[in-house]
mmCIF file of all heavy atoms in Angstrom:
data_model
loop_
_atom_site.group_PDB
_atom_site.id
_atom_site.type_symbol
_atom_site.label_atom_id
_atom_site.label_comp_id
_atom_site.label_asym_id
_atom_site.label_seq_id
_atom_site.Cartn_x
_atom_site.Cartn_y
_atom_site.Cartn_z
ATOM 1 N N PRO A 1 219.071 100.103 60.554
ATOM 2 C CA PRO A 1 218.498 100.979 61.580
ATOM 3 C C PRO A 1 217.230 100.397 62.215
ATOM 4 O O PRO A 1 216.479 99.641 61.587
ATOM 5 C CB PRO A 1 218.160 102.265 60.812
ATOM 6 C CG PRO A 1 218.988 102.206 59.569
ATOM 7 C CD PRO A 1 219.128 100.746 59.246
ATOM 8 N N ALA A 2 217.009 100.783 63.458
ATOM 9 C CA ALA A 2 215.811 100.371 64.196
ATOM 10 C C ALA A 2 214.558 100.655 63.378
ATOM 11 O O ALA A 2 214.491 101.630 62.638
ATOM 12 C CB ALA A 2 215.743 101.134 65.528
ATOM 13 N N ARG A 3 213.561 99.768 63.481
ATOM 14 C CA ARG A 3 212.242 99.899 62.850
ATOM 15 C C ARG A 3 212.276 99.791 61.327
ATOM 16 O O ARG A 3 211.303 100.117 60.662
ATOM 17 C CB ARG A 3 211.539 101.191 63.273
ATOM 18 C CG ARG A 3 211.465 101.438 64.776
ATOM 19 C CD ARG A 3 210.685 100.431 65.585
ATOM 20 N NE ARG A 3 209.301 100.339 65.148
ATOM 21 C CZ ARG A 3 208.534 99.265 65.309
ATOM 22 N NH1 ARG A 3 209.008 98.190 65.895
ATOM 23 N NH2 ARG A 3 207.298 99.258 64.899
ATOM 24 N N THR A 4 213.394 99.326 60.765
ATOM 25 C CA THR A 4 213.505 99.094 59.320
ATOM 26 C C THR A 4 213.133 97.652 59.037
ATOM 27 O O THR A 4 213.635 96.735 59.688
ATOM 28 C CB THR A 4 214.946 99.371 58.838
ATOM 29 O OG1 THR A 4 215.263 100.737 59.073
ATOM 30 C CG2 THR A 4 215.113 99.045 57.364
ATOM 31 N N TRP A 5 212.242 97.437 58.071
ATOM 32 C CA TRP A 5 211.918 96.076 57.649
ATOM 33 C C TRP A 5 213.133 95.532 56.913
ATOM 34 O O TRP A 5 213.703 96.209 56.062
ATOM 35 C CB TRP A 5 210.698 96.065 56.727
ATOM 36 C CG TRP A 5 209.435 96.422 57.439
ATOM 37 C CD1 TRP A 5 208.796 97.630 57.431
ATOM 38 C CD2 TRP A 5 208.664 95.570 58.287
ATOM 39 N NE1 TRP A 5 207.668 97.578 58.222
ATOM 40 C CE2 TRP A 5 207.567 96.326 58.761
ATOM 41 C CE3 TRP A 5 208.798 94.245 58.706
ATOM 42 C CZ2 TRP A 5 206.610 95.799 59.610
ATOM 43 C CZ3 TRP A 5 207.835 93.716 59.554
ATOM 44 C CH2 TRP A 5 206.757 94.485 59.993
ATOM 45 N N MET A 6 213.534 94.295 57.236
ATOM 46 C CA MET A 6 214.697 93.673 56.601
ATOM 47 C C MET A 6 214.389 92.231 56.268
ATOM 48 O O MET A 6 213.686 91.545 57.000
ATOM 49 C CB MET A 6 215.912 93.759 57.522
ATOM 50 C CG MET A 6 215.745 93.005 58.835
ATOM 51 S SD MET A 6 217.105 93.252 59.992
ATOM 52 C CE MET A 6 216.233 94.109 61.304
ATOM 53 N N GLY A 7 214.888 91.810 55.131
ATOM 54 C CA GLY A 7 214.776 90.422 54.714
ATOM 55 C C GLY A 7 215.900 90.146 53.752
ATOM 56 O O GLY A 7 216.342 91.049 53.039
ATOM 57 N N GLY A 8 216.396 88.918 53.722
ATOM 58 C CA GLY A 8 217.540 88.652 52.869
ATOM 59 C C GLY A 8 217.614 87.240 52.357
ATOM 60 O O GLY A 8 216.965 86.333 52.875
ATOM 61 N N ARG A 9 218.443 87.106 51.322
ATOM 62 C CA ARG A 9 218.713 85.782 50.756
ATOM 63 C C ARG A 9 220.069 85.803 50.074
ATOM 64 O O ARG A 9 220.602 86.868 49.764
ATOM 65 C CB ARG A 9 217.616 85.351 49.806
ATOM 66 C CG ARG A 9 217.459 86.164 48.551
ATOM 67 C CD ARG A 9 216.440 85.591 47.542
ATOM 68 N NE ARG A 9 215.696 84.473 48.007
ATOM 69 C CZ ARG A 9 214.368 84.448 48.195
ATOM 70 N NH1 ARG A 9 213.644 85.510 47.932
ATOM 71 N NH2 ARG A 9 213.763 83.354 48.622
ATOM 72 N N VAL A 10 220.586 84.616 49.828
ATOM 73 C CA VAL A 10 221.842 84.469 49.093
ATOM 74 C C VAL A 10 221.629 85.012 47.679
ATOM 75 O O VAL A 10 220.566 84.791 47.080
ATOM 76 C CB VAL A 10 222.270 82.982 49.053
ATOM 77 C CG1 VAL A 10 223.516 82.788 48.216
ATOM 78 C CG2 VAL A 10 222.476 82.454 50.468
ATOM 79 N N VAL A 11 222.624 85.740 47.145
ATOM 80 C CA VAL A 11 222.477 86.315 45.806
ATOM 81 C C VAL A 11 222.285 85.218 44.763
ATOM 82 O O VAL A 11 222.725 84.083 44.951
ATOM 83 C CB VAL A 11 223.686 87.204 45.416
ATOM 84 C CG1 VAL A 11 223.815 88.412 46.324
ATOM 85 C CG2 VAL A 11 224.963 86.413 45.363
ATOM 86 N N ALA A 12 221.628 85.574 43.673
ATOM 87 C CA ALA A 12 221.394 84.635 42.573
ATOM 88 C C ALA A 12 222.723 84.048 42.116
ATOM 89 O O ALA A 12 223.701 84.774 41.938
ATOM 90 C CB ALA A 12 220.690 85.336 41.422
ATOM 91 N N GLY A 13 222.752 82.736 41.948
ATOM 92 C CA GLY A 13 223.960 82.047 41.514
ATOM 93 C C GLY A 13 224.845 81.594 42.661
ATOM 94 O O GLY A 13 225.779 80.826 42.459
ATOM 95 N N GLY A 14 224.557 82.065 43.875
ATOM 96 C CA GLY A 14 225.340 81.663 45.039
ATOM 97 C C GLY A 14 224.811 80.372 45.634
ATOM 98 O O GLY A 14 223.737 79.894 45.270
ATOM 99 N N ALA A 15 225.563 79.804 46.585
ATOM 100 C CA ALA A 15 225.166 78.548 47.217
ATOM 101 C C ALA A 15 224.793 78.732 48.688
ATOM 102 O O ALA A 15 223.798 78.189 49.145
ATOM 103 C CB ALA A 15 226.287 77.519 47.102
ATOM 104 N N TRP A 16 225.605 79.497 49.439
ATOM 105 C CA TRP A 16 225.332 79.707 50.856
ATOM 106 C C TRP A 16 226.101 80.921 51.355
ATOM 107 O O TRP A 16 227.071 81.354 50.751
ATOM 108 C CB TRP A 16 225.664 78.474 51.696
ATOM 109 C CG TRP A 16 227.082 77.991 51.565
ATOM 110 C CD1 TRP A 16 227.542 77.033 50.706
ATOM 111 C CD2 TRP A 16 228.232 78.457 52.288
ATOM 112 N NE1 TRP A 16 228.897 76.871 50.854
ATOM 113 C CE2 TRP A 16 229.343 77.737 51.820
ATOM 114 C CE3 TRP A 16 228.427 79.409 53.278
ATOM 115 C CZ2 TRP A 16 230.627 77.928 52.318
ATOM 116 C CZ3 TRP A 16 229.713 79.613 53.777
ATOM 117 C CH2 TRP A 16 230.793 78.871 53.296
ATOM 118 N N SER A 17 225.636 81.429 52.495
ATOM 119 C CA SER A 17 226.285 82.570 53.135
ATOM 120 C C SER A 17 226.285 82.357 54.646
ATOM 121 O O SER A 17 225.247 82.048 55.229
ATOM 122 C CB SER A 17 225.530 83.857 52.789
ATOM 123 O OG SER A 17 226.157 84.973 53.360
ATOM 124 N N LEU A 18 227.458 82.525 55.251
ATOM 125 C CA LEU A 18 227.599 82.469 56.703
ATOM 126 C C LEU A 18 227.792 83.902 57.189
ATOM 127 O O LEU A 18 228.664 84.619 56.698
ATOM 128 C CB LEU A 18 228.804 81.612 57.101
ATOM 129 C CG LEU A 18 229.028 81.455 58.609
ATOM 130 C CD1 LEU A 18 227.946 80.561 59.228
ATOM 131 C CD2 LEU A 18 230.419 80.883 58.884
ATOM 132 N N PHE A 19 226.953 84.304 58.139
ATOM 133 C CA PHE A 19 226.981 85.690 58.611
ATOM 134 C C PHE A 19 226.626 85.714 60.094
ATOM 135 O O PHE A 19 226.286 84.694 60.689
ATOM 136 C CB PHE A 19 226.000 86.554 57.803
ATOM 137 C CG PHE A 19 224.574 86.099 57.883
ATOM 138 C CD1 PHE A 19 223.690 86.686 58.767
ATOM 139 C CD2 PHE A 19 224.107 85.069 57.067
ATOM 140 C CE1 PHE A 19 222.371 86.260 58.848
ATOM 141 C CE2 PHE A 19 222.791 84.633 57.147
ATOM 142 C CZ PHE A 19 221.917 85.230 58.036
ATOM 143 N N GLY A 20 226.703 86.878 60.673
ATOM 144 C CA GLY A 20 226.337 87.037 62.068
ATOM 145 C C GLY A 20 225.526 88.293 62.258
ATOM 146 O O GLY A 20 225.516 89.181 61.401
ATOM 147 N N CYS A 21 224.838 88.385 63.386
ATOM 148 C CA CYS A 21 224.076 89.574 63.752
ATOM 149 C C CYS A 21 224.338 89.873 65.221
ATOM 150 O O CYS A 21 224.393 88.963 66.041
ATOM 151 C CB CYS A 21 222.577 89.372 63.538
ATOM 152 S SG CYS A 21 222.118 89.189 61.809
ATOM 153 N N THR A 22 224.492 91.170 65.510
ATOM 154 C CA THR A 22 224.750 91.632 66.862
ATOM 155 C C THR A 22 223.751 92.731 67.201
ATOM 156 O O THR A 22 223.453 93.570 66.346
ATOM 157 C CB THR A 22 226.185 92.195 66.983
ATOM 158 O OG1 THR A 22 227.100 91.224 66.500
ATOM 159 C CG2 THR A 22 226.520 92.561 68.410
ATOM 160 N N MET A 23 223.256 92.715 68.430
ATOM 161 C CA MET A 23 222.316 93.746 68.887
ATOM 162 C C MET A 23 222.658 94.169 70.311
ATOM 163 O O MET A 23 223.090 93.346 71.113
ATOM 164 C CB MET A 23 220.877 93.230 68.870
ATOM 165 C CG MET A 23 220.278 93.058 67.509
ATOM 166 S SD MET A 23 218.573 92.461 67.586
ATOM 167 C CE MET A 23 217.751 93.833 68.360
ATOM 168 N N ALA A 24 222.441 95.453 70.594
ATOM 169 C CA ALA A 24 222.567 95.973 71.957
ATOM 170 C C ALA A 24 221.497 97.047 72.143
ATOM 171 O O ALA A 24 221.470 97.992 71.362
ATOM 172 C CB ALA A 24 223.954 96.557 72.190
ATOM 173 N N PRO A 25 220.583 96.936 73.105
ATOM 174 C CA PRO A 25 220.407 95.782 73.973
ATOM 175 C C PRO A 25 220.099 94.535 73.148
ATOM 176 O O PRO A 25 219.763 94.613 71.976
ATOM 177 C CB PRO A 25 219.242 96.167 74.871
ATOM 178 C CG PRO A 25 218.627 97.390 74.311
ATOM 179 C CD PRO A 25 219.583 97.963 73.334
ATOM 180 N N GLY A 26 220.218 93.409 73.804
ATOM 181 C CA GLY A 26 220.119 92.129 73.118
ATOM 182 C C GLY A 26 218.743 91.777 72.594
ATOM 183 O O GLY A 26 217.726 92.316 73.027
ATOM 184 N N PHE A 27 218.741 90.827 71.657
ATOM 185 C CA PHE A 27 217.517 90.344 71.022
ATOM 186 C C PHE A 27 216.702 89.498 71.997
ATOM 187 O O PHE A 27 217.241 88.694 72.745
ATOM 188 C CB PHE A 27 217.874 89.487 69.797
ATOM 189 C CG PHE A 27 216.679 88.848 69.156
ATOM 190 C CD1 PHE A 27 215.908 89.558 68.245
ATOM 191 C CD2 PHE A 27 216.310 87.556 69.474
ATOM 192 C CE1 PHE A 27 214.789 88.975 67.656
ATOM 193 C CE2 PHE A 27 215.199 86.964 68.888
ATOM 194 C CZ PHE A 27 214.443 87.680 67.992
ATOM 195 N N THR A 28 215.386 89.686 71.944
ATOM 196 C CA THR A 28 214.434 88.769 72.569
ATOM 197 C C THR A 28 213.329 88.523 71.540
ATOM 198 O O THR A 28 213.066 89.369 70.683
ATOM 199 C CB THR A 28 213.802 89.339 73.859
ATOM 200 O OG1 THR A 28 213.044 90.497 73.527
ATOM 201 C CG2 THR A 28 214.862 89.665 74.910
ATOM 202 N N TYR A 29 212.695 87.372 71.615
ATOM 203 C CA TYR A 29 211.654 87.053 70.641
ATOM 204 C C TYR A 29 210.478 88.018 70.731
ATOM 205 O O TYR A 29 209.778 88.237 69.753
ATOM 206 C CB TYR A 29 211.204 85.597 70.772
ATOM 207 C CG TYR A 29 212.247 84.646 70.229
ATOM 208 C CD1 TYR A 29 213.096 83.945 71.075
ATOM 209 C CD2 TYR A 29 212.414 84.493 68.858
ATOM 210 C CE1 TYR A 29 214.076 83.102 70.571
ATOM 211 C CE2 TYR A 29 213.396 83.649 68.343
ATOM 212 C CZ TYR A 29 214.224 82.955 69.204
ATOM 213 O OH TYR A 29 215.197 82.138 68.699
ATOM 214 N N GLY A 30 210.269 88.638 71.869
ATOM 215 C CA GLY A 30 209.199 89.620 72.006
ATOM 216 C C GLY A 30 209.425 90.867 71.166
ATOM 217 O O GLY A 30 208.487 91.609 70.876
ATOM 218 N N ASP A 31 210.672 91.112 70.765
ATOM 219 C CA ASP A 31 210.999 92.276 69.934
ATOM 220 C C ASP A 31 210.746 92.030 68.447
ATOM 221 O O ASP A 31 210.666 92.967 67.662
ATOM 222 C CB ASP A 31 212.474 92.651 70.095
ATOM 223 C CG ASP A 31 212.776 93.261 71.438
ATOM 224 O OD1 ASP A 31 211.852 93.832 72.058
ATOM 225 O OD2 ASP A 31 213.947 93.173 71.859
ATOM 226 N N TYR A 32 210.663 90.769 68.037
ATOM 227 C CA TYR A 32 210.559 90.403 66.624
ATOM 228 C C TYR A 32 209.159 90.712 66.097
ATOM 229 O O TYR A 32 208.162 90.271 66.663
ATOM 230 C CB TYR A 32 210.860 88.906 66.484
ATOM 231 C CG TYR A 32 210.720 88.364 65.084
ATOM 232 C CD1 TYR A 32 211.794 88.373 64.216
ATOM 233 C CD2 TYR A 32 209.516 87.818 64.643
ATOM 234 C CE1 TYR A 32 211.680 87.852 62.935
ATOM 235 C CE2 TYR A 32 209.392 87.306 63.360
ATOM 236 C CZ TYR A 32 210.476 87.328 62.516
ATOM 237 O OH TYR A 32 210.354 86.816 61.253
ATOM 238 N N GLU A 33 209.099 91.470 64.994
ATOM 239 C CA GLU A 33 207.822 91.753 64.329
ATOM 240 C C GLU A 33 207.894 91.171 62.927
ATOM 241 O O GLU A 33 208.702 91.593 62.099
ATOM 242 C CB GLU A 33 207.560 93.259 64.275
ATOM 243 C CG GLU A 33 206.205 93.606 63.701
ATOM 244 C CD GLU A 33 205.914 95.099 63.708
ATOM 245 O OE1 GLU A 33 206.711 95.884 64.267
ATOM 246 O OE2 GLU A 33 204.874 95.475 63.143
ATOM 247 N N HIS A 34 207.051 90.194 62.656
ATOM 248 C CA HIS A 34 207.042 89.469 61.384
ATOM 249 C C HIS A 34 206.315 90.282 60.315
ATOM 250 O O HIS A 34 205.250 90.841 60.573
ATOM 251 C CB HIS A 34 206.362 88.120 61.604
ATOM 252 C CG HIS A 34 206.590 87.126 60.529
ATOM 253 N ND1 HIS A 34 207.804 86.510 60.341
ATOM 254 C CD2 HIS A 34 205.754 86.630 59.583
ATOM 255 C CE1 HIS A 34 207.703 85.659 59.316
ATOM 256 N NE2 HIS A 34 206.475 85.716 58.841
ATOM 257 N N GLY A 35 206.882 90.358 59.115
ATOM 258 C CA GLY A 35 206.282 91.119 58.027
ATOM 259 C C GLY A 35 205.072 90.437 57.409
ATOM 260 O O GLY A 35 205.034 89.222 57.271
ATOM 261 N N ASP A 36 204.109 91.235 57.017
ATOM 262 C CA ASP A 36 202.903 90.761 56.335
ATOM 263 C C ASP A 36 202.961 91.250 54.886
ATOM 264 O O ASP A 36 203.058 92.462 54.635
ATOM 265 C CB ASP A 36 201.662 91.311 57.038
ATOM 266 C CG ASP A 36 200.394 90.903 56.324
ATOM 267 O OD1 ASP A 36 199.968 89.751 56.488
ATOM 268 O OD2 ASP A 36 199.848 91.748 55.570
#
């Protein structure tokens, strides 16, 4: 959901994960808020 802090990583014991992300309206770098 909008305004939810999100962060992720491959689960313990895994090697890699291929995934995708979709947004509407579309992503722009001005929308990105980096966590502190």
